[in-house]
Amino acid sequence: MNNRICPLLKDPENYTPDIQDLLSNEVERNYWLATLERTVAKFVDKAGELNPDNPKATEDAKSCLQKFQQLIEKIKSDPRERIDEIDLINDFNEKWLELIKGVLAGNVFDWGSEAVAKMLAEVPTFGLSHAMDTIEERPWFIDHVNLWIERLNSHTFKSAVIFVDNAGVDFVLGILPFIRELLTMGTRVILTANSYPSLNDVTYQELNLYCCSAAQQCNVLKDAISSGQLVTIENGQKGPCLDLKNIPSELCDLMVESDLIVLEGMGRSVHTNLNTEFAVDSIKIAVLKNEWLAKSLGANQFSVIFKYEPAV
């Protein structure tokens, strides 16, 4: 894969994606190493529970299957549950606020977060409405929603490139309604996902499957895929962070004419690129699900970042 630097950066020579230097900061390094160790240990524990020698393995598997089947039946009976809710909102400003809150609520579903993993394990029925309740009241820690909506009221973006985050609820109920609205406004949308698996981040292969499945339920997505208004492409990344010095040439070529870039999730828009300036309009959106990271920024756990910056 032939990679090169993102063409939308204002100052590519001085671009540094990381906001923390784990090599030189021992305190930060030790914190994240310990956190990752605990996360991996939980995955090991879960694998052990499914071992055939474990007498509870069958019981646990049956319980998991039952819950999965219930979810499938719910989707079969009402596959457009989130889209219909959005379409019932007539007010332009209210609709976009709900779309943004949907992306944020979807971003809560992150098994890579220790706090969220505990929450999801304790509440098996945890859904999008529950996640909505975890979102703090406005004004958020970084809250540029009004500025963004004002921009939308007076401007139609030609092309938006969106770096997506988690698989599952995050992408399906958060990102898809968001990009669907952009498509209805005439914007071309370039969705880009990781080339390789990392935690529960959606991969490029999964991205295509999601979009094809969603297109069966939504003519807006179906028509956009057929016409080339909606494009999916891999971003060459192997982890949850985003290094814009090292992305595929094919993606760079698609991005050249973009006038909007959206970075979703803590890894892509906070751990890296929170302070990155772009030559086009940009959005950085995430829920701070890690208490240590939140405090290091002067925020609280589950604080919200919606950072919209016009072209500089």
Side-chain angles (χ1 to χ4, degrees), residues 6 22 28 41 62 70 79 85 115 148-149 164 204 211 215 221 227-228 237 288 298 306:
C6 172
L22 299 186
E28 294 178 354
K62 286 182 178 179
Q70 291 172 350
E85 289 178 2
W148 164 246
I149 294 177
V164 299
Y204 171 61
C211 289
L221 297 175
S227 67
Q237 306 297 300
L288 300 177
F306 186 86

PDB file of all heavy atoms in Angstrom, residues 6 22 28 41 62 70 79 85 115 148-149 164 204 211 215 221 227-228 237 288 298 306:
ATOM      1  N   CYS A   6      -1.695  13.487   4.508  1.00  0.00           N
ATOM      2  CA  CYS A   6      -3.021  14.036   4.226  1.00  0.00           C
ATOM      3  C   CYS A   6      -2.900  15.394   3.532  1.00  0.00           C
ATOM      4  O   CYS A   6      -2.224  16.303   4.043  1.00  0.00           O
ATOM      5  CB  CYS A   6      -3.813  14.170   5.529  1.00  0.00           C
ATOM      6  SG  CYS A   6      -5.379  15.034   5.357  1.00  0.00           S
ATOM      7  N   LEU A  22       4.083   9.603  25.188  1.00  0.00           N
ATOM      8  CA  LEU A  22       4.230   8.495  26.135  1.00  0.00           C
ATOM      9  C   LEU A  22       5.680   8.043  26.277  1.00  0.00           C
ATOM     10  O   LEU A  22       6.034   7.377  27.250  1.00  0.00           O
ATOM     11  CB  LEU A  22       3.361   7.314  25.692  1.00  0.00           C
ATOM     12  CG  LEU A  22       1.851   7.583  25.613  1.00  0.00           C
ATOM     13  CD1 LEU A  22       1.109   6.302  25.298  1.00  0.00           C
ATOM     14  CD2 LEU A  22       1.335   8.199  26.895  1.00  0.00           C
ATOM     15  N   GLU A  28       2.264   9.281  32.386  1.00  0.00           N
ATOM     16  CA  GLU A  28       1.274   8.945  31.374  1.00  0.00           C
ATOM     17  C   GLU A  28       1.492   7.544  30.829  1.00  0.00           C
ATOM     18  O   GLU A  28       0.541   6.776  30.643  1.00  0.00           O
ATOM     19  CB  GLU A  28       1.324   9.963  30.232  1.00  0.00           C
ATOM     20  CG  GLU A  28       0.895  11.361  30.654  1.00  0.00           C
ATOM     21  CD  GLU A  28       1.003  12.351  29.520  1.00  0.00           C
ATOM     22  OE1 GLU A  28       1.519  11.978  28.449  1.00  0.00           O
ATOM     23  OE2 GLU A  28       0.571  13.503  29.699  1.00  0.00           O
ATOM     24  N   ALA A  41      -6.561  -8.401  30.243  1.00  0.00           N
ATOM     25  CA  ALA A  41      -6.886  -9.426  31.244  1.00  0.00           C
ATOM     26  C   ALA A  41      -8.373  -9.774  31.209  1.00  0.00           C
ATOM     27  O   ALA A  41      -8.751 -10.943  31.374  1.00  0.00           O
ATOM     28  CB  ALA A  41      -6.486  -8.944  32.632  1.00  0.00           C
ATOM     29  N   LYS A  62     -25.737 -20.231  25.965  1.00  0.00           N
ATOM     30  CA  LYS A  62     -27.180 -20.215  25.679  1.00  0.00           C
ATOM     31  C   LYS A  62     -27.777 -18.854  26.011  1.00  0.00           C
ATOM     32  O   LYS A  62     -28.631 -18.338  25.275  1.00  0.00           O
ATOM     33  CB  LYS A  62     -27.884 -21.305  26.483  1.00  0.00           C
ATOM     34  CG  LYS A  62     -27.649 -22.721  25.961  1.00  0.00           C
ATOM     35  CD  LYS A  62     -28.433 -23.735  26.781  1.00  0.00           C
ATOM     36  CE  LYS A  62     -28.235 -25.139  26.230  1.00  0.00           C
ATOM     37  NZ  LYS A  62     -28.978 -26.156  27.031  1.00  0.00           N
ATOM     38  N   GLN A  70     -33.044 -12.249  20.434  1.00  0.00           N
ATOM     39  CA  GLN A  70     -34.014 -11.200  20.748  1.00  0.00           C
ATOM     40  C   GLN A  70     -33.684  -9.911  20.013  1.00  0.00           C
ATOM     41  O   GLN A  70     -34.577  -9.223  19.503  1.00  0.00           O
ATOM     42  CB  GLN A  70     -34.044 -10.958  22.264  1.00  0.00           C
ATOM     43  CG  GLN A  70     -34.639 -12.114  23.060  1.00  0.00           C
ATOM     44  CD  GLN A  70     -34.482 -11.922  24.558  1.00  0.00           C
ATOM     45  OE1 GLN A  70     -33.768 -11.025  25.012  1.00  0.00           O
ATOM     46  NE2 GLN A  70     -35.135 -12.760  25.340  1.00  0.00           N
ATOM     47  N   PRO A  79     -36.497  -2.394  11.502  1.00  0.00           N
ATOM     48  CA  PRO A  79     -35.111  -2.116  11.107  1.00  0.00           C
ATOM     49  C   PRO A  79     -34.785  -0.639  10.928  1.00  0.00           C
ATOM     50  O   PRO A  79     -33.633  -0.257  10.899  1.00  0.00           O
ATOM     51  CB  PRO A  79     -34.968  -2.869   9.772  1.00  0.00           C
ATOM     52  CG  PRO A  79     -36.362  -2.916   9.235  1.00  0.00           C
ATOM     53  CD  PRO A  79     -37.248  -3.057  10.433  1.00  0.00           C
ATOM     54  N   GLU A  85     -37.149   8.045  13.558  1.00  0.00           N
ATOM     55  CA  GLU A  85     -37.125   9.069  14.609  1.00  0.00           C
ATOM     56  C   GLU A  85     -36.544  10.378  14.078  1.00  0.00           C
ATOM     57  O   GLU A  85     -37.076  11.458  14.342  1.00  0.00           O
ATOM     58  CB  GLU A  85     -36.288   8.587  15.802  1.00  0.00           C
ATOM     59  CG  GLU A  85     -36.927   7.476  16.611  1.00  0.00           C
ATOM     60  CD  GLU A  85     -36.020   7.009  17.736  1.00  0.00           C
ATOM     61  OE1 GLU A  85     -34.918   7.586  17.885  1.00  0.00           O
ATOM     62  OE2 GLU A  85     -36.389   6.073  18.452  1.00  0.00           O
ATOM     63  N   ALA A 115     -14.393   1.733  31.666  1.00  0.00           N
ATOM     64  CA  ALA A 115     -15.637   2.147  32.318  1.00  0.00           C
ATOM     65  C   ALA A 115     -16.859   1.662  31.547  1.00  0.00           C
ATOM     66  O   ALA A 115     -17.843   1.198  32.133  1.00  0.00           O
ATOM     67  CB  ALA A 115     -15.672   3.666  32.454  1.00  0.00           C
ATOM     68  N   TRP A 148     -21.705  25.093  14.091  1.00  0.00           N
ATOM     69  CA  TRP A 148     -21.827  24.102  13.017  1.00  0.00           C
ATOM     70  C   TRP A 148     -23.181  24.225  12.316  1.00  0.00           C
ATOM     71  O   TRP A 148     -23.264  24.238  11.090  1.00  0.00           O
ATOM     72  CB  TRP A 148     -21.635  22.703  13.591  1.00  0.00           C
ATOM     73  CG  TRP A 148     -22.099  21.578  12.719  1.00  0.00           C
ATOM     74  CD1 TRP A 148     -23.136  20.721  12.964  1.00  0.00           C
ATOM     75  CD2 TRP A 148     -21.558  21.159  11.456  1.00  0.00           C
ATOM     76  NE1 TRP A 148     -23.259  19.809  11.944  1.00  0.00           N
ATOM     77  CE2 TRP A 148     -22.312  20.051  11.005  1.00  0.00           C
ATOM     78  CE3 TRP A 148     -20.503  21.622  10.664  1.00  0.00           C
ATOM     79  CZ2 TRP A 148     -22.054  19.398   9.810  1.00  0.00           C
ATOM     80  CZ3 TRP A 148     -20.240  20.970   9.448  1.00  0.00           C
ATOM     81  CH2 TRP A 148     -21.003  19.873   9.046  1.00  0.00           C
ATOM     82  N   ILE A 149     -24.243  24.336  13.092  1.00  0.00           N
ATOM     83  CA  ILE A 149     -25.582  24.427  12.507  1.00  0.00           C
ATOM     84  C   ILE A 149     -25.742  25.733  11.726  1.00  0.00           C
ATOM     85  O   ILE A 149     -26.369  25.771  10.657  1.00  0.00           O
ATOM     86  CB  ILE A 149     -26.664  24.286  13.593  1.00  0.00           C
ATOM     87  CG1 ILE A 149     -26.622  22.870  14.184  1.00  0.00           C
ATOM     88  CG2 ILE A 149     -28.047  24.575  13.020  1.00  0.00           C
ATOM     89  CD1 ILE A 149     -27.593  22.633  15.328  1.00  0.00           C
ATOM     90  N   VAL A 164     -14.306   6.961  10.689  1.00  0.00           N
ATOM     91  CA  VAL A 164     -15.253   6.379  11.636  1.00  0.00           C
ATOM     92  C   VAL A 164     -14.526   5.607  12.737  1.00  0.00           C
ATOM     93  O   VAL A 164     -13.342   5.281  12.623  1.00  0.00           O
ATOM     94  CB  VAL A 164     -16.262   5.476  10.918  1.00  0.00           C
ATOM     95  CG1 VAL A 164     -17.061   6.281   9.910  1.00  0.00           C
ATOM     96  CG2 VAL A 164     -15.559   4.310  10.226  1.00  0.00           C
ATOM     97  N   TYR A 204     -12.508  -1.830   7.389  1.00  0.00           N
ATOM     98  CA  TYR A 204     -12.982  -1.479   6.049  1.00  0.00           C
ATOM     99  C   TYR A 204     -13.901  -2.568   5.495  1.00  0.00           C
ATOM    100  O   TYR A 204     -14.944  -2.267   4.889  1.00  0.00           O
ATOM    101  CB  TYR A 204     -11.783  -1.275   5.133  1.00  0.00           C
ATOM    102  CG  TYR A 204     -12.149  -1.127   3.674  1.00  0.00           C
ATOM    103  CD1 TYR A 204     -12.960  -0.088   3.241  1.00  0.00           C
ATOM    104  CD2 TYR A 204     -11.692  -2.047   2.727  1.00  0.00           C
ATOM    105  CE1 TYR A 204     -13.305   0.054   1.910  1.00  0.00           C
ATOM    106  CE2 TYR A 204     -12.026  -1.913   1.393  1.00  0.00           C
ATOM    107  CZ  TYR A 204     -12.838  -0.872   0.984  1.00  0.00           C
ATOM    108  OH  TYR A 204     -13.183  -0.740  -0.327  1.00  0.00           O
ATOM    109  N   CYS A 211     -22.773  -0.919   5.144  1.00  0.00           N
ATOM    110  CA  CYS A 211     -23.388  -0.015   4.178  1.00  0.00           C
ATOM    111  C   CYS A 211     -24.329  -0.753   3.233  1.00  0.00           C
ATOM    112  O   CYS A 211     -25.418  -0.253   2.908  1.00  0.00           O
ATOM    113  CB  CYS A 211     -22.312   0.733   3.401  1.00  0.00           C
ATOM    114  SG  CYS A 211     -21.421   1.969   4.378  1.00  0.00           S
ATOM    115  N   ALA A 215     -28.324  -0.121   3.073  1.00  0.00           N
ATOM    116  CA  ALA A 215     -28.908   0.320   1.806  1.00  0.00           C
ATOM    117  C   ALA A 215     -30.185  -0.457   1.472  1.00  0.00           C
ATOM    118  O   ALA A 215     -31.055   0.052   0.756  1.00  0.00           O
ATOM    119  CB  ALA A 215     -27.891   0.160   0.681  1.00  0.00           C
ATOM    120  N   LEU A 221     -29.392   5.886   1.089  1.00  0.00           N
ATOM    121  CA  LEU A 221     -28.087   5.219   1.068  1.00  0.00           C
ATOM    122  C   LEU A 221     -27.917   4.375  -0.184  1.00  0.00           C
ATOM    123  O   LEU A 221     -26.841   4.355  -0.795  1.00  0.00           O
ATOM    124  CB  LEU A 221     -27.937   4.345   2.316  1.00  0.00           C
ATOM    125  CG  LEU A 221     -27.938   5.086   3.658  1.00  0.00           C
ATOM    126  CD1 LEU A 221     -27.897   4.088   4.815  1.00  0.00           C
ATOM    127  CD2 LEU A 221     -26.764   6.047   3.755  1.00  0.00           C
ATOM    128  N   SER A 227     -24.761   5.772  -7.179  1.00  0.00           N
ATOM    129  CA  SER A 227     -24.307   6.929  -7.952  1.00  0.00           C
ATOM    130  C   SER A 227     -22.875   7.333  -7.657  1.00  0.00           C
ATOM    131  O   SER A 227     -22.303   8.165  -8.373  1.00  0.00           O
ATOM    132  CB  SER A 227     -25.231   8.123  -7.678  1.00  0.00           C
ATOM    133  OG  SER A 227     -25.096   8.550  -6.326  1.00  0.00           O
ATOM    134  N   GLY A 228     -22.298   6.763  -6.595  1.00  0.00           N
ATOM    135  CA  GLY A 228     -20.947   7.149  -6.203  1.00  0.00           C
ATOM    136  C   GLY A 228     -20.911   8.350  -5.277  1.00  0.00           C
ATOM    137  O   GLY A 228     -19.831   8.861  -4.953  1.00  0.00           O
ATOM    138  N   GLN A 237      -4.827   2.375   8.626  1.00  0.00           N
ATOM    139  CA  GLN A 237      -4.467   2.377  10.040  1.00  0.00           C
ATOM    140  C   GLN A 237      -4.617   0.988  10.665  1.00  0.00           C
ATOM    141  O   GLN A 237      -5.457   0.195  10.254  1.00  0.00           O
ATOM    142  CB  GLN A 237      -5.320   3.389  10.802  1.00  0.00           C
ATOM    143  CG  GLN A 237      -5.285   4.795  10.223  1.00  0.00           C
ATOM    144  CD  GLN A 237      -3.905   5.425  10.277  1.00  0.00           C
ATOM    145  OE1 GLN A 237      -3.330   5.604  11.337  1.00  0.00           O
ATOM    146  NE2 GLN A 237      -3.383   5.800   9.105  1.00  0.00           N
ATOM    147  N   LEU A 288     -15.560  11.503  26.223  1.00  0.00           N
ATOM    148  CA  LEU A 288     -14.358  11.181  26.996  1.00  0.00           C
ATOM    149  C   LEU A 288     -14.688  10.074  27.997  1.00  0.00           C
ATOM    150  O   LEU A 288     -15.065  10.334  29.135  1.00  0.00           O
ATOM    151  CB  LEU A 288     -13.835  12.429  27.708  1.00  0.00           C
ATOM    152  CG  LEU A 288     -13.441  13.583  26.784  1.00  0.00           C
ATOM    153  CD1 LEU A 288     -12.997  14.785  27.602  1.00  0.00           C
ATOM    154  CD2 LEU A 288     -12.329  13.157  25.823  1.00  0.00           C
ATOM    155  N   GLY A 298      -8.897  18.684  31.775  1.00  0.00           N
ATOM    156  CA  GLY A 298      -9.690  19.591  32.592  1.00  0.00           C
ATOM    157  C   GLY A 298     -11.171  19.316  32.524  1.00  0.00           C
ATOM    158  O   GLY A 298     -11.996  20.177  32.862  1.00  0.00           O
ATOM    159  N   PHE A 306     -17.389  18.360  20.963  1.00  0.00           N
ATOM    160  CA  PHE A 306     -17.836  18.601  19.598  1.00  0.00           C
ATOM    161  C   PHE A 306     -17.137  19.859  19.131  1.00  0.00           C
ATOM    162  O   PHE A 306     -17.590  20.976  19.384  1.00  0.00           O
ATOM    163  CB  PHE A 306     -19.354  18.762  19.495  1.00  0.00           C
ATOM    164  CG  PHE A 306     -19.824  18.877  18.061  1.00  0.00           C
ATOM    165  CD1 PHE A 306     -20.092  17.741  17.311  1.00  0.00           C
ATOM    166  CD2 PHE A 306     -19.970  20.117  17.456  1.00  0.00           C
ATOM    167  CE1 PHE A 306     -20.495  17.838  15.985  1.00  0.00           C
ATOM    168  CE2 PHE A 306     -20.368  20.230  16.135  1.00  0.00           C
ATOM    169  CZ  PHE A 306     -20.635  19.080  15.406  1.00  0.00           C
TER     170      PHE A 306
END
